[in-house]
Amino acid sequence: MTPATKKKIGIGLGILAALLAVGLTVFLLKRQALLTYALAQVKAKVERKYPVALTLGQARFTDLNTVQIDGMSLVPTAQPTDTLLQARLLTVSLSVRSLFAGRPVFSNLEISDAQLTARKTNRTDNYSFLYKKKRATPAATPRDTTNGTNYGLLVNQLLEASFDNVPGEADFRNFLVTYDSPRHQARIVMPRLAIEDGDIEGQLTATVDSVVNKVGVQGHIEPGDYALNAEVFGLERRPVTLPYVLRRYGARVQFDTLRFSLTDKDLADDELTVRGTASAANFIVNHPKLSDRDVRFPRGGIEFVARLGQAFAALDEGTKVTLNRMAFFPVMSVRKLPLNQRVVGKMINGLRNRRETLAGLQVKADIVSAETPANTFFAALPEGMFNTLEGMQGEGTLKYKMHLDLDMNQLDSLQFSSGLTPKNFRITKMGAEDLNKLNQDFLYTAYNDKGDSIKAFAVGPSNPEFVSYDEVSNYLKAAIMTAEDPRFLTHKGFMEKAFVKSAIQNIKEKRFARGGSTISMQLVKNVFLTRQKTVTRKIEEALIVWLLENTRIVSKQRMFEVYLNIIEWGPKVYGASEASEFYFNKQPANLNLSESLYLASIIPRPKYFQRSFNQYGEMRSSARYFHRLIAKLMASKGLISQNDYASVDYSLNFPGRAHGSIFRAARDTVRVTSTDSTQFEPLNLIDLLGGNAAPDAGVNTNIPAEQGGETTPPTPKP
């Protein structure tokens, strides 16, 4: 190659290098200008969509397609001094081709040292604009709230705001989230939370209302399809405790692992339908009104079809709840009823009337289980809820069904039914308690309302004070059955109508004003369970009663015999033999009608046995009403003669040890008025007094032998 040629080549390469340098300079300058323009567009788009001021720090390329932004902040325009979100450093990937095409595509967002600060006062907050859509109507137009909140629209807004703001690729490092309101405070520290190709993984320490949880999160999200699969689990082998329910309701709710999926959402006619699943491992609930110990569900889950709309939420057909391997299919709804105006009386100053806005709820539920093998049923019972039945086994199948229709504006229309349907069912192995002990001599321990033991004694012939069924006056047996449980010999443990009417009164008075327990339920409560008034104890009581009444373990006569020997009839007075001696200094077989009526009247509240009499030793009118009512019912059923009914005596003599305490206490009890009949209202006569009793509802109905009943009524003889 000649020198001239080499020179020409060198000049050409120099020109090319210069052109490349100029081009690169122009490219870099243009790229930076386009980046500045693109970020300005992002800022304008965000500020058009939300009422905020977005501030971005200096932005620059650190390589061909990586952009670094030195800080950012997001401030609501309504609160210019209240920064919602800020970060020290942002790093994103930017497609150069898309940048020059005028449609910049950002990806791989990394945020370092960010802080989200949410605040709420009694009147305002700095974050609700994120999920509240702008109204199409003028702001001055008042919002119609007479029909209540549309939960479908609200949840749909929350879902769309959440999914629409999830980046496809993101990496949050040292992310701090704080929330402060008059009622709650929260602080969440996330060392790292990463989203890559829709996969989510991260860890966080959350302190909410002083409850601290160290939690791991993993899952997958498809924002465009509104689909999510997520798993939340406790770290360091510690469970996750829900904070809100602990502070709001005093309940400890925790789990080891919670899995949740949202597979579909559909908004039509202002109603939102969402489908998905949720399941928990080692789910535990603890509340003193629920149980005296943890109630544990080892495995449980739900496949839900939920529907939300104007003032209502519902679980529709297609929903399935699983406890271990037992499946339930609930269809239920909760609806907030339209507001009613009711005059509630004058104000304290008496100058004007006050109208109070009252809103009620309507709850409907139908739950049915699959036909379940007996051992699967017993294995599905939550731990800590059925202590006496733990370890029980059986054969055959069981199917559960429940119906509820409650309208808080029409309480008297309450409908409720609940029951198990057996098929070839029998118990093959008893649980922690042997239900057969009712057929044998057994040791009974009486407890007070605080759970302290008062007295222990044998129930059976080994106890000299034990009385057999035939050794008790028929007057007393008939009076107790009439007052406490008129259908004891015919029902299978429960009186649905009495229970429903008791529930209506309890709801109206917002307290447990009336029980509605049958003799079977009272027997089970006293023999097998504690005196603690908890929800789980009541459910356990119902299941044990069902087992006793439906498996022919114990006859009705034996159940009533045990009942007569263990029930409380006064301070440390238990059983018919001791009660007869304490009050009347005689044997149970020798009690007359008036004495039997008195003993029956004090069973609901045995500690207040003196309240039947005034300070002059005369029977109060409320006590007379009880005696007259029960005697009349007994006569109408043929349990006593009309002569017996006419001879009911209200002037009782108490030659027993109770004499002094009855009349001494009667003289001191001046605050009890004669119009107070709550002491003497028979709990289970609600059915009869309401006119709903069947003609054969009395205690003299013959019982088929296969039901374990007796075939002869306890009819007193003149």
Side-chain angles (χ1 to χ4, degrees):
M1 183 180 297
T2 63
T5 303
K6 291 181 179 180
K7 184 177 180 180
K8 290 179 181 180
I9 293 174
I11 292 172
L13 290 174
I15 294 172
L16 179 60
L19 291 173
L20 289 174
V22 172
L24 180 59
T25 301
V26 172
F27 168 77
L28 293 176
L29 292 174
K30 184 66 174 176
R31 183 182 68 165
Q32 186 65 35
L34 290 174
L35 173 61
T36 302
Y37 175 78
L39 293 178
Q41 291 297 104
V42 170
K43 172 181 169 67
K45 182 179 180 180
V46 170
E47 293 180 348
R48 280 196 306 270
K49 187 174 183 179
Y50 301 108
V52 296
L54 174 62
T55 302
L56 298 171
Q58 184 180 358
R60 59 187 178 277
F61 281 94
T62 58
D63 57 28
L64 182 61
N65 62 351
T66 302
V67 176
Q68 183 173 294
I69 304 173
D70 295 334
M72 62 83 66
S73 66
L74 192 69
V75 181
T77 54
Q79 296 139 311
T81 61
D82 196 355
T83 301
L84 176 62
L85 177 65
Q86 59 184 347
R88 181 184 61 84
L89 182 68
L90 288 81
T91 303
V92 296
S93 295
L94 176 60
S95 168
V96 175
R97 180 178 178 181
S98 68
L99 180 64
F100 277 88
R103 296 187 299 273
V105 177
F106 295 93
S107 61
N108 298 329
L109 172 65
E110 294 183 11
I111 301 180
S112 300
D113 302 323
Q115 182 171 347
L116 175 66
T117 306
R119 295 186 180 92
K120 182 179 181 179
T121 66
N122 291 327
R123 293 189 299 176
T124 185
D125 61 66
N126 69 341
Y127 56 85
S128 60
F129 63 84
L130 292 171
Y131 57 84
K132 289 183 179 178
K133 291 186 175 182
K134 294 181 179 179
R135 300 174 187 170
T137 57
T141 303
R143 182 181 178 186
D144 181 11
T145 59
T146 56
N147 292 322
T149 302
N150 190 312
Y151 299 108
L153 295 179
L154 178 61
V155 172
N156 188 66
Q157 290 176 8
L158 291 171
L159 288 174
E160 290 188 351
S162 301
F163 279 91
D164 292 349
N165 289 283
V166 172
E169 306 284 340
D171 193 350
F172 300 90
R173 299 174 183 270
N174 299 324
F175 196 178
L176 173 64
V177 178
T178 61
Y179 173 78
D180 186 77
S181 77
R183 294 185 177 181
H184 303 285
Q185 291 77 41
R187 179 183 176 89
I188 302 174
V189 179
M190 291 187 289
R192 188 183 183 196
L193 179 65
I195 303 175
E196 183 177 357
D197 293 330
D199 293 332
I200 306 171
E201 186 174 0
Q203 296 182 0
L204 58 91
T205 300
T207 304
V208 182
D209 296 336
S210 74
V211 176
V212 181
N213 286 303
K214 292 186 177 180
V215 178
V217 180
Q218 63 183 24
H220 185 83
I221 187 169
E222 294 291 343
D225 297 330
Y226 297 102
L228 171 69
N229 280 286
E231 181 178 307
V232 179
F233 51 92
L235 299 175
E236 301 176 359
R237 297 185 177 180
R238 298 180 62 183
V240 178
T241 302
L242 299 185
Y244 176 76
V245 292
L246 182 61
R247 178 172 176 176
R248 178 67 177 83
Y249 302 103
R252 174 168 54 84
V253 180
Q254 63 185 49
F255 57 85
D256 288 348
T257 302
L258 179 67
R259 296 178 177 86
F260 176 82
S261 72
L262 181 65
T263 57
D264 179 52
K265 84 171 185 72
D266 178 46
L267 183 66
D269 298 328
D270 288 344
E271 288 190 3
L272 176 69
T273 301
V274 291
R275 293 176 173 83
T277 65
S279 63
N282 201 28
F283 186 82
I284 293 175
V285 182
N286 184 292
H287 191 280
K289 291 186 178 180
L290 177 67
S291 176
D292 58 346
R293 67 175 187 167
D294 288 351
V295 176
R296 178 175 174 266
F297 301 81
R299 294 180 301 277
I302 180 173
E303 301 173 16
F304 61 85
V305 180
R307 186 165 48 90
L308 302 98
Q310 193 82 44
F312 83 91
L315 288 176
D316 286 346
E317 289 187 11
T319 299
K320 177 182 178 182
V321 176
T322 305
L323 290 178
N324 288 339
R325 291 182 296 157
M326 187 172 181
F328 298 86
F329 304 94
V331 175
M332 55 197 309
S333 65
V334 179
R335 183 179 297 274
K336 194 171 183 179
L337 299 172
L339 302 181
N340 295 322
Q341 297 293 327
R342 188 178 71 179
V343 177
V344 296
K346 295 183 178 181
M347 297 185 67
I348 296 177
N349 58 18
L351 297 178
R352 62 187 177 90
N353 288 340
R354 179 168 62 96
R355 298 181 69 85
E356 186 174 16
T357 300
L358 302 174
L361 290 179
Q362 184 183 62
V363 181
K364 294 185 177 183
D366 285 283
I367 302 174
V368 63
S369 77
E371 193 169 290
T372 306
N375 286 340
T376 301
F377 173 84
F378 289 124
L381 298 178
E383 297 176 10
M385 194 168 178
F386 298 91
N387 304 336
T388 59
L389 303 179
E390 289 181 0
M392 181 171 283
Q393 296 181 8
E395 293 179 350
T397 62
L398 294 167
K399 185 176 182 178
Y400 177 74
K401 187 175 182 180
M402 188 271 280
H403 169 73
L404 171 67
D405 191 339
L406 169 64
D407 187 333
M408 292 296 290
N409 282 354
Q410 301 179 41
L411 281 176
D412 291 334
S413 67
L414 171 66
Q415 299 177 21
F416 177 79
S417 62
S418 173
L420 282 170
T421 301
K423 184 177 180 181
N424 301 323
F425 171 75
R426 72 181 187 93
I427 297 173
T428 58
K429 179 185 176 183
M430 290 293 175
E433 281 275 7
D434 186 354
L435 304 185
N436 279 308
K437 82 176 187 179
L438 287 176
N439 290 315
Q440 308 159 2
D441 244 289
F442 68 93
L443 182 66
Y444 173 72
T445 302
Y447 296 90
N448 61 20
D449 292 336
K450 296 180 180 179
D452 302 322
S453 61
I454 298 175
K455 186 176 182 179
F457 54 90
V459 179
S462 63
N463 182 354
E465 293 190 343
F466 175 82
V467 289
S468 68
Y469 180 87
D470 294 330
E471 293 174 326
V472 177
S473 165
N474 282 338
Y475 285 127
L476 180 62
K477 289 184 287 190
I480 292 175
M481 287 191 195
T482 302
E484 287 294 302
D485 190 350
R487 298 180 182 176
F488 171 69
L489 297 179
T490 57
H491 65 56
K492 290 193 174 183
F494 309 97
M495 289 207 306
E496 236 170 54
K497 290 180 181 178
F499 177 83
V500 168
K501 292 189 177 182
S502 297
I504 291 171
Q505 183 172 345
N506 293 337
I507 295 173
K508 286 180 177 179
E509 299 189 22
K510 297 181 180 179
R511 65 186 181 94
F512 289 104
R514 193 178 286 281
S517 294
T518 62
I519 286 176
S520 306
M521 296 167 73
Q522 294 178 50
L523 177 68
V524 166
K525 176 185 68 176
N526 283 284
V527 174
F528 296 107
L529 303 174
T530 67
R531 299 299 296 270
Q532 293 181 335
K533 296 180 180 180
T534 61
V535 174
T536 57
R537 199 222 69 187
K538 200 66 179 176
I539 298 174
E540 183 178 20
E541 173 189 303
L543 183 53
I544 297 174
V545 168
W546 186 91
L547 290 169
L548 286 175
E549 294 272 9
N550 287 270
T551 57
R552 310 173 192 170
I553 294 176
V554 188
S555 70
K556 288 279 191 178
Q557 179 170 311
R558 172 59 180 172
M559 291 174 68
F560 194 61
E561 181 179 76
V562 173
Y563 177 84
L564 289 169
N565 280 275
I566 67 170
I567 56 173
E568 184 179 6
W569 255 305
K572 298 183 180 180
V573 177
Y574 292 88
S577 179
E578 192 171 274
S580 299
E581 189 276 332
F582 178 74
Y583 292 102
F584 304 110
N585 197 25
K586 60 173 61 175
Q587 294 298 312
N590 300 324
L591 293 170
N592 62 35
L593 177 58
S594 295
E595 293 165 343
S596 298
L597 289 170
Y598 172 76
L599 290 180
S601 74
I602 64 176
I603 289 177
R605 296 176 179 86
K607 292 182 177 61
Y608 301 101
F609 63 93
Q610 313 98 327
R611 291 190 176 180
S612 296
F613 306 93
N614 62 21
Q615 63 267 38
Y616 306 108
E618 300 169 340
M619 185 177 288
R620 296 181 185 277
S621 59
S622 52
R624 294 186 181 198
Y625 163 78
F626 177 92
H627 284 224
R628 187 166 56 252
L629 171 65
I630 300 304
K632 183 177 181 180
L633 290 170
M634 292 169 66
S636 69
K637 302 301 177 185
L639 300 177
I640 60 175
S641 67
Q642 288 299 322
N643 288 335
D644 282 330
Y645 173 61
S647 66
V648 172
D649 189 0
Y650 304 119
S651 300
L652 292 175
N653 294 316
F654 293 94
R657 290 180 291 116
H659 178 85
S661 57
I662 285 180
F663 293 105
R664 181 175 63 253
R667 288 192 297 270
D668 297 337
T669 312
V670 296
R671 297 177 63 89
V672 179
T673 64
S674 60
T675 57
D676 177 17
S677 63
T678 57
Q679 165 69 17
F680 310 102
E681 290 179 1
L683 298 184
N684 289 322
L685 278 175
I686 305 173
D687 240 3
L688 294 175
L689 296 177
N692 296 321
D696 59 348
V699 297
N700 62 335
T701 303
N702 292 336
I703 310 302
E706 65 268 19
Q707 291 186 16
E710 58 216 70
T711 57
T712 56
T715 304
K717 297 179 180 179

